[in-house]
Amino acid sequence: ELQLVESGGGLVQAGGSLRLSCAASGFTFDDYAIGWFRQAPGKEREGISCISSMDNAPYYANSVKGRFTVSSDNAKNTVYLQMNKLKPEDTGVYYCASIVAVSMCPRTAWALIPSYTLWGRGALVTVSS
């Protein structure tokens, strides 16, 4: 069974930090490309980062660059999203998504939903003002 499970969401004050986890199961973590998306109320789903087993550096959306950091623990089959200096506009449901058996984030399509074949169910992040 291929599965991604997000965890670590919750309520945090503006300026605070939160770390999300994306645990993968059902496939090996040797070759992977995992993206993070978020969807704020009333808005479209936004690609915010992508990390892979081969990319030299992860991708970040401008909206989170400098504040969010994605990392991986291959032994745990887990990708993390460290979110710092959170703002109320960061509020939303955060999803991780995978391109199974792919080792690179799509260079021109890493933030596009159709690039990903497996999705988690999401984790709610609420940032209070």
Side-chain angles (χ1 to χ4, degrees):
E1 180 182 353
L2 303 178
Q3 188 176 19
L4 297 176
V5 179
E6 302 95 341
S7 62
L11 175 65
V12 65
Q13 294 183 1
S17 298
L18 207 61
R19 189 178 77 162
L20 300 180
S21 299
C22 174
S25 62
F27 59 95
T28 62
F29 219 59
D30 297 330
D31 300 319
Y32 65 88
I34 293 180
W36 284 97
F37 291 74
R38 68 183 182 185
Q39 189 164 20
K43 296 184 178 180
E44 296 182 352
R45 193 168 299 184
E46 174 192 17
I48 57 174
S49 72
C50 185
I51 186 171
S52 76
S53 57
M54 293 187 65
D55 289 338
N56 293 329
Y59 294 89
Y60 295 99
N62 289 334
S63 57
V64 305
K65 192 174 299 181
R67 299 186 299 118
F68 290 12
T69 302
V70 66
S71 62
S72 64
D73 187 336
N74 294 345
K76 296 182 178 180
N77 279 22
T78 301
V79 167
Y80 304 96
L81 182 67
Q82 179 68 44
M83 304 182 293
N84 299 324
K85 300 179 180 179
L86 284 163
K87 306 174 182 179
E89 51 263 43
D90 293 320
T91 294
V93 178
Y94 283 70
Y95 303 87
C96 61
S98 177
I99 310 172
V100 179
V102 172
S103 301
M104 295 183 65
C105 299
R107 293 182 181 181
T108 60
W110 66 266
L112 301 182
I113 292 174
S115 297
Y116 299 86
T117 58
L118 180 67
W119 291 80
R121 295 182 178 181
L124 178 62
V125 173
T126 302
V127 183
S128 62
S129 60

